[in-house]
Amino acid sequence: MNERYSRQELFEPIGIAGQKKLKKKHVLIVGAGALGAGSAEMLVRAGIGKLTIVDRDYVEWSNLQRQQLYTEKDAEQRIPKAVAAKSRLMLVNSDVEIISHTMDVSVKEMTTLVNGVDLILDASDNFDIRMIINDISQKERIPWIYSACVGSYGLSYTIVPDSTPCLNCLLEAVPMEGLTCDTVGIISPAVQMVLSIQIAEALKILVEDSTQLRKKLISFDLWKNHYSSIDVGKLWDKDCPSCGKNRTYPYLSYSSQLKTAVLCGRDTVQIRPPHPVDRDLGKLSTVLSKLGREVFRNPYLLSFTTSDCRLVVFNDGRVLIHGTKSIDKAKSLYHRYLS
């Protein structure tokens, strides 16, 4: 007899019936960094039926301190996080259907990704994506869990359409900008604390035990020994454009999509073509080599260095330009080498 989930089934709120429900559920994780990697592993070990992981970045050495799915080999070979995560997770539980996408998430992608999804987990690094998740969640009536951590601080909030205030209602109560992992660092216990809260809430939703959901925003600072639980029910705005009576879903409008963006806390600009591009990395490698550029290439991306920046080109046409926060400079480099 397979006892893989026996200890989880002994936990009365889940039991055998809950385990069967888990097997039928589909979770979408947006982002495969520290929170995304940890959430994915917990859900795969718990026996989720289907998991979709989406991330736009690749594994770097600075990730290994807290992003538990990745190895030194992944960093050396600059493997996209979604690819590396799937490879590792398939070794953890081969019974789970795992789908991975190396892509930047915008409105168009989210509209497709949420088909058949029972829960969305936020593991992203910016509010542009979070607000798109928030609106698509309200429009499609899919619950989602907002989480974030930096330094020794973390927070999490579970959003259930028509049952709780949405993130748009909380905009004045939740910090929109500020410190990032790349400016003040992060310790892994803060990640693990957020993961514990987020996945506990996720399991409640997935086994359909909604009465036990925590309807408060949780925040903490492990280093300063601070912990708070905020009742946000009074912040529910009946005129909210995302979840109110006359919904317009403002963050799903085409004008809300950014084609060029400075990545969270990093000296990096991402440039995304207005339309999907199937970039021929082999041909590009040949051209750049003739220009005297030293090129690194794997099946998913190509990178090369100019005098003061490093450009990473993905198969889908996206380019990360490391070493600058100047969008104008990034555009200039993009047009010089890739147009």
Side-chain angles (χ1 to χ4, degrees):
M1 185 174 106
N2 190 335
E3 296 186 349
R4 178 189 287 268
Y5 308 116
S6 61
R7 301 305 185 268
Q8 190 163 276
E9 290 172 347
L10 285 172
F11 179 63
E12 187 175 349
I14 294 179
I16 294 176
Q19 193 65 49
K20 290 180 179 178
K21 290 178 180 178
L22 270 176
K23 180 65 177 175
K24 297 178 181 179
K25 298 299 172 63
H26 180 189
V27 174
L28 168 64
I29 300 179
V30 181
L35 290 179
S39 296
E41 182 173 355
M42 284 187 176
L43 288 173
V44 164
R45 291 187 183 279
I48 190 68
K50 184 176 180 179
L51 184 69
T52 297
I53 306 169
V54 187
D55 191 275
R56 65 185 177 184
D57 214 341
Y58 59 93
V59 181
E60 298 182 273
W61 287 97
S62 63
N63 302 148
L64 301 182
Q65 165 253 349
R66 65 197 181 281
Q67 299 183 17
Q68 62 194 52
L69 286 180
Y70 310 127
T71 66
E72 291 184 349
K73 185 176 180 180
D74 295 326
E76 288 171 355
Q77 298 182 354
R78 302 176 196 174
I79 303 298
K81 291 182 182 179
V83 173
K86 178 178 179 178
S87 178
R88 175 71 181 278
L89 292 169
M90 289 177 66
L91 297 176
V92 171
N93 191 342
S94 59
D95 289 336
V96 178
E97 180 181 357
I98 301 171
I99 300 171
S100 67
H101 298 285
T102 300
M103 64 165 66
D104 188 34
V105 176
S106 71
V107 175
K108 181 179 179 180
E109 287 78 18
M110 279 300 300
T111 302
T112 302
L113 288 168
V114 297
N115 287 337
V117 165
D118 299 289
L119 173 66
I120 305 169
L121 295 185
D122 163 39
S124 60
D125 61 1
N126 69 85
F127 265 88
D128 293 311
I129 295 176
R130 285 178 176 131
M131 298 314 294
I132 291 173
I133 294 173
N134 185 71
D135 274 14
I136 201 77
S137 161
Q138 297 300 321
K139 184 177 181 180
E140 302 297 335
R141 303 298 197 272
I142 302 170
W144 75 287
I145 303 176
Y146 158 57
S147 297
C149 54
V150 63
S152 56
Y153 173 82
L155 60 82
S156 185
Y157 174 56
T158 302
I159 299 169
V160 180
D162 301 321
S163 180
T164 66
C166 77
L167 190 59
N168 205 4
C169 293
L170 273 58
L171 286 181
E172 294 184 3
V174 178
M176 296 295 103
E177 301 290 345
L179 304 178
T180 71
C181 300
D182 299 278
T183 57
V184 300
I186 186 170
I187 57 173
S188 58
V191 176
Q192 297 301 319
M193 184 75 167
V194 173
L195 284 173
S196 296
I197 296 169
Q198 186 180 49
I199 300 304
E201 290 287 279
L203 289 173
K204 295 173 190 177
I205 291 172
L206 296 169
V207 302
E208 300 170 13
D209 191 6
S210 59
T211 60
Q212 296 301 316
L213 286 173
R214 186 196 302 267
K215 296 186 177 181
K216 295 182 178 181
L217 189 150
I218 302 299
S219 67
F220 62 85
D221 189 320
L222 292 178
W223 206 262
K224 296 180 180 179
N225 303 309
H226 294 166
Y227 181 90
S228 65
S229 178
I230 305 171
D231 186 351
V232 295
K234 293 182 180 179
L235 298 178
W236 200 341
D237 182 1
K238 302 304 180 182
D239 295 319
C240 173
S242 296
C243 71
K245 295 179 180 179
N246 300 306
R247 307 178 184 191
T248 59
Y249 309 114
Y251 296 96
L252 298 184
S253 65
Y254 184 81
S255 60
S256 296
Q257 300 183 47
L258 295 179
K259 296 297 183 294
T260 307
V262 179
L263 298 194
C264 174
R266 300 161 65 181
D267 290 332
T268 301
V269 174
Q270 174 180 266
I271 295 182
R272 171 179 171 160
H275 305 288
V277 176
D278 187 9
R279 178 77 71 173
D280 187 336
L281 297 182
K283 182 177 179 180
L284 178 60
S285 177
T286 301
V287 172
L288 291 170
S289 296
K290 289 180 179 179
L291 294 174
R293 299 298 175 188
E294 184 175 346
V295 176
F296 171 89
R297 180 185 164 202
N298 65 31
Y300 317 101
L301 56 82
L302 174 153
S303 72
F304 65 98
T305 303
T306 66
S307 59
D308 56 354
C309 289
R310 180 163 58 90
L311 284 73
V312 180
V313 186
F314 291 85
N315 285 321
D316 63 3
R318 286 183 303 114
V319 181
L320 299 183
I321 301 177
H322 299 287
T324 181
K325 290 184 179 180
S326 168
I327 290 177
D328 288 339
K329 181 177 181 179
K331 286 181 177 179
S332 175
L333 288 169
Y334 178 86
H335 290 302
R336 183 185 307 171
Y337 293 102
L338 302 169
S339 292

